[in-house]
Amino acid sequence: MSSSPYKRVLLKLSGEVLMGSQPFGIDPEFVAEMAKEVKAAKDTGLEICLVIGGGNIFRGMAGAAKGMDRAQADYMGMLATVMNALAMQNALEQLGVPTRVQSAIEMDKVCEPVIRRRAERHLEKGRVVIFAAGVGAPYFTTDSGAALRAAEMKCDALLKGTSVDGVYDSDPKTNPTATRYATVDFDTVLADNLKVMDASAVALCRDNAIPIVVFSIREQGNLAAVLAGEGTKTIVQKGA
Ligand code: UDP
């Protein structure tokens, strides 16, 4: 049985965590490491929804900065998230974890479309569901996609696995006295523009009372620790 305070969670991983030490792209060894973390969490009895970004392959904003049409560049970014989802599905299934990918951009040869009731059924059957292509529209990010799916799937928390171990009052890379919050209110995050997720994602979580747990996914075993209510993290919640 799970010792977690949660029953169903949405785990958001930025695309960068799949590239390992490479400058871009997908490092299968690293994807396998991430898959092990997900499996360990699932083995505690949790229901797991996954959203993976696409920043290791393509970000719409970067394309737009180089003169591309923003919407067109965003479509490419969304396709990148589908590639990451398929890579993660492959890694999870190699570990014996049944997994389904549902994409907000329909691609019926490679994955299912997003159908909430079908996703529910997958979770009931013990499958991990990876939601790809964000919200399926340009001008959004996979953070918003993660918040949307967390609300739609009635997840108890949105776990944001990144390369930093929580939310700081200033940038720890440039300010040695920066302190990490144990908990912080949604409104503080929005008012102080703290780097957690983009504002639309934070607002969606606030409005649906979904706590955001920010932690480092790079430390082995940390996801399971955080899910058990331990480990280093920041919880963004109401009234913190
Ligand atoms: N994207 C989009 N709509 C969405 C989700 C993603 O247009 O709903 C595009 C956008 O261009 C974004 C890219 O996909 O830059 C990759 O996603 P994101 O930047 O969120 O990835 P991460 O930073 O988490 O790796």
Side-chain angles (χ1 to χ4, degrees), residues 57-116:
I57 300 171
F58 196 82
R59 273 207 183 92
M61 291 274 264
K66 290 189 178 150
M68 281 188 79
D69 174 72
R70 169 76 192 268
Q72 185 80 348
D74 280 342
Y75 297 141
M76 292 170 66
M78 284 188 269
L79 296 182
T81 73
V82 179
M83 290 175 68
N84 283 339
L86 294 178
M88 179 57 86
Q89 177 177 40
N90 178 72
L92 282 168
E93 296 204 328
Q94 282 183 351
L95 296 175
V97 180
T99 305
R100 295 291 184 273
V101 176
Q102 293 201 344
S103 171
I105 295 177
E106 288 187 29
M107 240 179 272
D108 62 5
K109 293 287 187 289
V110 294
C111 59
E112 298 177 0
V114 177
I115 299 174
R116 184 174 63 87

Side-chain angles (χ1 to χ4, degrees), residues 12-17 51-63 70-81 84 104-105 132-146 148-149 160 198:
K12 158 78 210 289
L13 300 176
S14 56
E16 280 170 5
V17 303
V51 167
I52 309 173
N56 55 321
I57 300 171
F58 196 82
R59 273 207 183 92
M61 291 274 264
R70 169 76 192 268
Q72 185 80 348
D74 280 342
Y75 297 141
M76 292 170 66
M78 284 188 269
L79 296 182
T81 73
N84 283 339
I105 295 177
V135 305
Y139 295 94
F140 285 94
T141 65
T142 50
D143 282 352
S144 293
L148 171 65
R149 301 303 169 211
K160 164 120 175 161
D198 52 65

Side-chain angles (χ1 to χ4, degrees), residues 30-49:
F30 224 78
V31 183
E33 286 307 311
M34 289 295 126
K36 276 188 209 156
E37 294 283 313
V38 175
K39 180 182 189 306
K42 192 183 165 292
D43 286 348
T44 66
L46 278 171
E47 292 179 343
I48 298 189
C49 304

